[in-house]
Every structure is written in structure tokens, then in C-alpha cells.
Amino acid sequence: MERSTKNKLIWTAAKLFQEKGFNGVGLNEILTVSGVPKGSLYHHFPNGKTDLALAAAGFVHGEMTRIIDEAFGEATSYRDGATTLFHKLAKLFELMGKHSACPVSHILFGEPENADFQKRTSEVFDAWIAQIVGHAERLGETPDAARAAARHLFVVLQGGWTLARARQDSYELRRLPELLFDG
Amino acid sequence: MERSTKNKLIWTAAKLFQEKGFNGVGLNEILTVSGVPKGSLYHHFPNGKTDLALAAAGFVHGEMTRIIDEAFGEATSYRDGATTLFHKLAKLFELMGKHSACPVSHILFGEPENADFQKRTSEVFDAWIAQIVGHAERLGETPDAARAAARHLFVVLQGGWTLARARQDSYELRRLPELLFDG
Amino acid sequence: MERSTKNKLIWTAAKLFQEKGFNGVGLNEILTVSGVPKGSLYHHFPNGKTDLALAAAGFVHGEMTRIIDEAFGEATSYRDGATTLFHKLAKLFELMGKHSACPVSHILFGEPENADFQKRTSEVFDAWIAQIVGHAERLGETPDAARAAARHLFVVLQGGWTLARARQDSYELRRLPELLFDG
Amino acid sequence: MERSTKNKLIWTAAKLFQEKGFNGVGLNEILTVSGVPKGSLYHHFPNGKTDLALAAAGFVHGEMTRIIDEAFGEATSYRDGATTLFHKLAKLFELMGKHSACPVSHILFGEPENADFQKRTSEVFDAWIAQIVGHAERLGETPDAARAAARHLFVVLQGGWTLARARQDSYELRRLPELLFDG
DNA sequence: AATGAATGAGTCTTCATTCAT
DNA sequence: CATGAATGAAGACTCATTCAT
């Protein structure tokens, strides 16, 4: 991906929103951190902070999709893939800083009245779950089992991320497979 | 609980923070909604918004504690209690509005750099988990099983709440027991 | 009238809007000239610039009403009163600076889409005309003649003010009675 | 007149300035409405908004000159010509939208400190008055009567336009001849 | 001749907080 | 205890203009 002005804004916004949420980050901070001058933002994102947030959410959606595919792509069983996924997310959590939350929730839950945000959140979550269902079926689960497993994984992932953030400890993510498979 | 000025502020703050997060709500809005005059806030909460947020979080912590006790108090088995709990939370979710999140996370995650907030979040979550462990043991689970079950319940509760909010559907909370007991 | 913060804002706004129009004056300028700090404005005018403009228009409306009453109050005939009025307005024009326009038009025409502004402009103009009609009748004109005369005076006043502004010469206002009575 | 990029800018600017004034219209809006790309403006108008405003004022000056000539050209008396003129202006007012003001005032009064604008306004007004004087003399008025009549017409035209705008009713323009000839 | 990206000073507005009464 | 005025830093956003291509 090219290091364009637009992308610098998206990357910086994604990182900062993930830590402090949509309302916790000012445009000035995004501009300062990214080194982009104020006037440029509205050239690339005519609707301002809202547009930027949507773009940032789109970016992290893509990243997450890639991570899920990588985790399950190498796996020989669903359990294997899920375990790899949580380990990857734990590493990501360490990399992004221990205050980081699920980026999509943290960005798009910021404006509860914004219908675009609302719709996008639910679409993204649906996409992740569907993607996991796909992997589960490919790895031998029945359709019913795959649906239940994917939903369980998603819910545990979101809740575990919250707990990891509260305790500032990526281990909370690493041990989630126990809950799914040894519970 | 008496309808004092202080309590009106706490209730209003808790409600609004739950929907829009710590940074999504201004003091002006809290004042307007609660009908409390501007100057009064700093009498009751000398440290301002931070104090108020801590008080609001304390209030919802107490509410949640009460709900957990009620759910498990009437129960004849852990599974029973957990199921009742999720149904109570689904009702609460409907009552508070479909944009509402776990109030404690939403209030106290707002300021990731604030050590008081960080500490309080983790303490509150620990308290809930410990409380559920207690009920589980009382209802016949072994200590180890109780600890695992409580952690699982908490994680699924947080993640399920996120999903319910994204889909704006309290059913996502009601069907969480399936994940815990039929997975 | 007391020299309160609110009044300082109104007086300054009225003066500046009269010269440069609603859109030609920034709040910063009004704040600097009046010596009022930024945060105070929204305490007194919760809807900001719009509220302030309405208040300023109300203030000049009152001033104009007073001037009209003074001009005709001393008069022994309609022609006399009208002539005095134009001389008073010429003095006002010199006092306010030769770039000054009819303050009400200049303030309230600034936002053509604003229904409040639109309505208020037409009400104020109607009020002035009605006031002049009253004086004309009191000074012996028949109702029909009074209505026509008041309308003529108003129209000539507005147009003459425009010409005075273009030529930067208060004489254009002083010689308007010729047009009305010797045309 | 050819539909060049330059002319599209002038027409759009004239229309928008007439409604909202020089300071009420941003370059972006002019560009969007006219469909002209951003970079092109400074090719045709090196001094930017100022140049464009002067050009727009020049354009409407020409249009008004044409209208005056047409109105009086067909006329058999001064009164006749004036009456036609006001009817033509009423139609123009309806065509341009009921928020429209005298275009020249509205454009060039926007920057009271700008000497070019100031000078141009006064020149344009002088030219209109002189043009009407010419027609009046041609139609049989004495030089003195012609000068007075032209001035009266101009003043009543400006004031009437203001009243028409306030009341959003072109009838205010149509009935101006009464004021001039039956007053 | 034409263009889209870049730019930073400027716009109006909201913020949490302090103060005098 | 209670309150409305005061405050200036910060908020998101728009502006007219310049520049490299």
C-alpha cells in the first residue's frame, strides 16, 4: 500500500481511534501524528471526521479479514485455526498497545445516532462471522455446527478483548480457546 | 434511593454515558437532561466530570451486582441462574435503549490514560466474576469448574452485549445460554 | 441602558454588521472590538451568531423607532416630520461611517434561507411603515394618503440610503424630501 | 454569448452573489454549481474572488443597461418607459428568486473597504441614472425635470427592490410607478 | 489552457472548569 | 449549599489561494 497522504490519515486515525474511541480523538491529534496539514484532510474526506472514521473502519476490516484467512488458511482443523487466530490477535493487541479495543466497535460505536456507522458495524461483524463459518465448513464442520461455532468464537473474541483491555494483559486473549473447546 | 440533586446527576450521567461513552457526552447535556443548574455540579463532584463518571460507574456496578444476585438467588442450578441473568440483561438492554453498551466499560474505557479509570474497570470486572464464582460454588460446581464457568459467562456476556448493540436486537443476549451450555 | 457584557456584544455587533453585513463580520472581530471573551458569547446567545444578529437587529429596530417618533413628534406637518427624519438619518449616517447601510437589511438579509431572519425583516419594515402611517394621520393626512405617503417615504429612504452609501455622501439623504414633495 | 468556462463562472457567480451577497458565497459553491474544476478559476481570474466579482458585476451592469434601453426604447412617454421598466424588473425578480437583491449592490457592497468595489458601484449607479436621464430628455422632459425624474426612479427602484425582497413579492416592484406618478 | 492536490489561517461552536455572589 | 456569569482552550470544519503537473 502506497504511503499517500490519504493512507497516512487512515492509518493514523485507525490507530488512535482504536485506543481512545471516535470521540476521544481530535482531528488536531490525527493531523499532528500523521504530519498532514489541516486543509488536506477535507480534500480527501469531504465529510470530515465521519468519512475518515468510515475509511479507517474499512481499513481495519480488511486487516482483520486477512488475519482470519491467514489463521485458518494454515490450519488442519477448526480448533487449530481458532487457536492460531487468538494468538495472532494477542500479538496484535501487544503491538497496538494495551489500551486498544476492537477497532471497528471503538470507531463506529462512537456515534450511536449515525445510521451509516450503525449499519457498517453490523455488516462488518456479519462478514467476520460468515467468513469464520466458511472456514469451519471447509475444515469439516456441519453447517449447523459451523454457524454455532463461528458465533461463539466471535462473541468470545469481543468479550475476551474487553477483558484483556481491562486487565491490560494479552494472555486473556491467548487463553480463550480453552473456553471454546474445553468448556 | 432519594431523588437528590446528586443522584439525579448520577442517574442521568450513567444513562447517557452508557449510550454515547464518556467522551460522547458533554457536561452541558447531563445538566440539561437532569435539570440541574450549572453551578451545582462542582459542589457534589469537586473533580468534575471524572468524579461524576466514577460515581456513575459505581452506581451501575451496584445495580449489576444486585441483578446478578437476584438472578442466581432464585435459581436451582448454575445453568438456571445464568439463563435468568441473560434474560434480565436483555430486558435491561431493551429498557436502556438499543444503543446501550456495558455501562462500566463505556464509562471507564473513555479515558485510557486515566489510571483511576483503568484500575476501577478491572476491579469491577473482577468483582462480577468473583460474585458469579460464589454463586456457582453454592449451586454445586467445583471450585475449578466454577472459576472457568464464571469467566466464560463474563466473556460471553461482554461479547454478546457488543453483538446485541451492533444488531440492535436483545435476542442476541437471550440466546447466549445456548453458547455456554449447548456448545 | 446598562453597560453589561450582553449589551456590549449587541452594540458592537450592530455597528459592525451595519458596515460589513452579517457574513462580512466574524465573531472574532466582534469579540475583539467589544472586549468580550469568546466563551461568554454563548452564555448570553446560546444559538450563537444567529441569536446575536437577531438581538442586534432588535436593538436597531428600537433605535429607529425612537428616531421616527422624535422626528415626527416635534413636527407640525407630515412634510415637516419627514424632512426632520431624513436630516436625523443623515446625521446617523455620518456618525456610523459612510459605509453603513440600513442596519436591519444588512443584518437580516445576510442569511436568505433563514426563515426567522426573513420574517423578522418583513415585520420590522411593516412596523416602521405603520408607525409613519400613524404619524401622517395624526398630522392630518387621510388614511389613504397616509398609507401611500408612508410607503413612498420608506422606499425612498431605503433607496436613498443605498445611493448615499455608493457615493459616500450624506447629502443624498438630506435631499430626499425634494423627491417626495417637489417631484 | 458563448458558453465558455469563463462565462459559466461569471453567470453562476452573478446569480449566487445576487442571492447571498459577496461574503455569503464561497468559491467552492460557485465551482460546484458551475461545474468548473477547482484549478481553472485562477486562469481566468488571476486575482481570484475579487476579479470574479468585478466581472460578475460588469455582466449584470450590461444586462441592466440592456433592460433599461429596451424598456424606454419602445415607450412613447417617460411614464410609459418607467412603467415598462418596473414590470420587466418584476419579471426578473421572479426569475432570479425572491431572495435576490440588486445584484450590483449585493456584490460590490460586500467589501466596503475595497476601493475598487466602492468606485465601481458608484460608477455603475451613475451610469444607470445618466442613461435614464438620456431617455427622459429624448422623450420630451426638460433637462432639470429629467435629472430629478431619473434620480427619483433610481432611488425608488433600489428601495422598492429591498421591500420586494423583504416581502418576497414582486408586486412591490410593479406598483412603484404609482409612487412616482400618482404621488 | 487546464487540473486536482496541498495549504494554513480562518470560520462558528462546544468544552470542562472557575468564580463571585 | 446553590447559582448564573465568565473563561479560553479546543472542537470540527470552510476559506481563498498556490502549486506542480
Side-chain angles (χ1 to χ4, degrees):
Chain A
M1 250 180 167
E2 54 163 339
R3 236 184 110 65
S4 64
T5 294
K6 187 167 186 173
N7 279 339
K8 277 192 282 182
L9 284 169
I10 291 177
W11 295 332
T12 308
K15 168 102 169 77
L16 292 175
F17 283 148
Q18 181 165 12
E19 284 170 15
K20 313 200 217 176
F22 181 79
N23 288 302
V25 186
L27 288 183
N28 278 337
E29 191 179 358
I30 296 175
L31 261 9
T32 305
V33 172
S34 64
V36 168
K38 176 156 280 181
S40 296
L41 197 155
Y42 287 86
H43 183 65
H44 297 288
F45 302 99
N47 287 339
K49 198 182 184 183
T50 297
D51 269 10
L52 178 54
L54 250 5
F59 166 68
V60 295
H61 174 38
E63 293 294 292
M64 185 66 91
T65 301
R66 195 175 48 72
I67 290 173
I68 294 174
D69 275 342
E70 281 177 15
F72 283 96
E74 317 157 345
T76 56
S77 70
Y78 176 73
R79 175 175 185 151
D80 218 43
T83 305
T84 306
L85 176 58
F86 284 118
H87 280 273
K88 280 177 182 289
L89 291 175
K91 273 188 191 161
L92 184 65
F93 179 80
E94 287 158 10
L95 185 72
M96 298 301 286
K98 296 183 174 170
H99 294 305
S100 71
C102 164
V104 167
S105 336
H106 226 41
I107 296 175
L108 296 180
F109 276 158
E111 295 252 85
E113 322 260 277
N114 183 322
D116 284 343
F117 279 24
Q118 172 70 45
K119 184 160 156 275
R120 199 80 191 87
T121 313
S122 129
E123 286 169 355
V124 168
F125 287 175
D126 286 353
W128 292 350
I129 293 174
Q131 189 188 359
I132 297 168
V133 168
H135 283 294
E137 291 189 358
R138 187 179 51 77
L139 290 165
E141 306 284 330
T142 68
D144 276 3
R147 271 210 307 283
R151 212 172 143 268
H152 200 173
L153 189 154
F154 176 85
V155 162
V156 153
L157 163 57
Q158 287 288 338
W161 207 326
T162 302
L163 192 53
R165 200 185 181 208
R167 295 187 168 159
Q168 300 197 78
D169 188 348
S170 64
Y171 179 56
E172 296 296 335
L173 286 166
R174 281 184 215 283
R175 65 196 284 223
L176 290 174
E178 295 170 26
L179 252 39
L180 290 178
F181 303 109
D182 307 327
Chain B
M1 248 181 169
E2 55 166 337
R3 245 184 101 68
S4 65
T5 293
K6 185 166 187 173
N7 279 339
K8 274 193 283 184
L9 283 170
I10 291 177
W11 294 333
T12 310
K15 168 99 168 80
L16 292 175
F17 283 148
Q18 181 166 13
E19 284 170 13
K20 311 197 220 179
F22 181 78
N23 289 301
V25 186
L27 251 17
N28 269 341
E29 189 179 359
I30 297 175
L31 260 7
T32 305
V33 172
S34 64
V36 168
K38 191 146 219 165
S40 297
L41 198 152
Y42 287 84
H43 264 282
H44 301 289
F45 303 98
N47 286 340
K49 197 181 186 184
T50 299
D51 269 10
L52 178 54
L54 252 4
F59 166 69
V60 296
H61 174 38
E63 292 295 291
M64 184 67 88
T65 301
R66 194 177 48 72
I67 290 173
I68 294 173
D69 277 341
E70 279 177 17
F72 282 97
E74 317 157 346
T76 56
S77 71
Y78 175 72
R79 177 179 184 147
D80 218 45
T83 305
T84 306
L85 176 58
F86 284 118
H87 279 273
K88 281 178 182 287
L89 291 176
K91 273 189 191 159
L92 183 66
F93 178 79
E94 287 158 10
L95 185 71
M96 297 301 285
K98 295 185 175 169
H99 294 305
S100 69
C102 163
V104 167
S105 338
H106 226 42
I107 297 174
L108 297 180
F109 276 157
E111 294 252 271
E113 324 258 282
N114 184 322
D116 284 345
F117 280 22
Q118 173 68 46
K119 183 159 155 276
R120 199 80 190 89
T121 314
S122 137
E123 286 170 355
V124 170
F125 286 176
D126 287 352
W128 292 351
I129 294 175
Q131 189 188 0
I132 297 167
V133 168
H135 283 294
E137 292 188 357
R138 187 180 50 77
L139 290 163
E141 306 284 330
T142 67
D144 275 2
R147 271 209 308 282
R151 215 172 140 266
H152 200 175
L153 189 152
F154 175 84
V155 163
V156 153
L157 163 57
Q158 288 288 338
W161 207 325
T162 301
L163 192 53
R165 198 186 183 205
R167 296 187 167 159
Q168 300 198 77
D169 187 348
S170 64
Y171 179 57
E172 296 296 335
L173 286 166
R174 281 184 215 283
R175 65 196 284 223
L176 289 175
E178 296 170 26
L179 252 38
L180 289 178
F181 304 109
D182 307 326
Chain C
M1 248 181 168
E2 54 164 338
R3 234 184 112 65
S4 64
T5 295
K6 187 167 186 172
N7 279 339
K8 275 192 283 181
L9 284 170
I10 291 177
W11 294 332
T12 309
K15 168 101 169 77
L16 292 174
F17 283 148
Q18 181 165 13
E19 285 171 14
K20 313 199 218 177
F22 181 79
N23 289 301
V25 185
L27 289 183
N28 279 338
E29 192 178 356
I30 296 176
L31 261 9
T32 305
V33 172
S34 64
V36 168
K38 176 155 280 182
S40 296
L41 198 156
Y42 286 85
H43 183 66
H44 298 287
F45 302 98
N47 287 340
K49 199 183 184 183
T50 296
D51 269 10
L52 178 53
L54 251 3
F59 166 68
V60 296
H61 174 37
E63 292 294 292
M64 184 67 89
T65 301
R66 194 175 48 72
I67 290 172
I68 294 174
D69 275 342
E70 279 177 15
F72 282 96
E74 315 157 347
T76 56
S77 71
Y78 176 72
R79 178 180 183 145
D80 218 44
T83 305
T84 305
L85 176 58
F86 284 118
H87 280 273
K88 280 180 182 286
L89 292 175
K91 273 190 192 158
L92 184 65
F93 178 79
E94 288 158 10
L95 185 70
M96 297 301 286
K98 297 183 174 169
H99 294 306
S100 70
C102 163
V104 168
S105 336
H106 225 42
I107 296 174
L108 297 180
F109 276 158
E111 295 252 89
E113 322 260 277
N114 184 321
D116 283 344
F117 279 23
Q118 173 69 46
K119 182 159 158 277
R120 200 79 191 87
T121 313
S122 128
E123 285 170 356
V124 169
F125 287 175
D126 287 351
W128 292 351
I129 294 174
Q131 189 187 359
I132 297 168
V133 167
H135 283 294
E137 292 188 356
R138 187 178 51 76
L139 290 165
E141 306 284 331
T142 68
D144 275 1
R147 269 210 308 282
R151 212 171 144 269
H152 200 172
L153 189 154
F154 175 86
V155 162
V156 153
L157 162 56
Q158 288 287 338
W161 207 325
T162 302
L163 193 52
R165 200 184 181 210
R167 296 188 168 159
Q168 300 197 76
D169 188 349
S170 65
Y171 179 56
E172 296 296 336
L173 285 166
R174 281 185 215 283
R175 63 196 286 222
L176 289 175
E178 297 170 24
L179 252 38
L180 289 178
F181 304 109
D182 307 327
Chain D
M1 248 182 168
E2 56 165 337
R3 243 184 103 66
S4 63
T5 293
K6 186 166 186 173
N7 278 338
K8 274 193 283 182
L9 283 170
I10 291 177
W11 293 332
T12 309
K15 168 100 167 81
L16 291 175
F17 283 147
Q18 181 165 11
E19 285 171 12
K20 311 196 219 179
F22 180 78
N23 290 301
V25 186
L27 252 15
N28 268 342
E29 189 178 358
I30 297 176
L31 259 8
T32 305
V33 172
S34 63
V36 168
K38 192 145 219 166
S40 295
L41 198 151
Y42 286 84
H43 264 282
H44 300 288
F45 303 98
N47 286 341
K49 197 181 186 184
T50 298
D51 269 10
L52 178 55
L54 252 3
F59 166 69
V60 295
H61 173 38
E63 292 294 292
M64 184 67 89
T65 301
R66 195 176 47 73
I67 290 173
I68 294 174
D69 276 343
E70 280 177 16
F72 283 96
E74 316 158 346
T76 57
S77 71
Y78 175 72
R79 176 178 184 148
D80 218 44
T83 305
T84 306
L85 176 59
F86 285 119
H87 280 273
K88 280 178 183 287
L89 291 175
K91 273 189 191 158
L92 184 65
F93 178 80
E94 288 158 9
L95 185 71
M96 297 302 285
K98 297 185 173 166
H99 294 304
S100 69
C102 163
V104 167
S105 339
H106 227 41
I107 297 174
L108 297 180
F109 276 158
E111 296 252 87
E113 324 258 281
N114 183 322
D116 284 345
F117 280 22
Q118 173 68 46
K119 185 161 155 273
R120 200 81 191 88
T121 313
S122 139
E123 286 170 355
V124 169
F125 286 177
D126 287 352
W128 291 352
I129 294 174
Q131 188 188 0
I132 298 167
V133 167
H135 282 294
E137 291 189 357
R138 188 179 49 79
L139 290 163
E141 306 285 330
T142 67
D144 276 2
R147 272 210 308 282
R151 216 174 139 264
H152 200 175
L153 190 153
F154 175 85
V155 162
V156 153
L157 163 56
Q158 288 288 337
W161 207 325
T162 302
L163 193 52
R165 197 185 185 205
R167 295 187 169 160
Q168 299 197 79
D169 187 349
S170 64
Y171 180 55
E172 296 295 337
L173 286 166
R174 282 185 214 283
R175 64 196 285 223
L176 290 175
E178 297 171 23
L179 252 38
L180 289 178
F181 303 110
D182 307 327

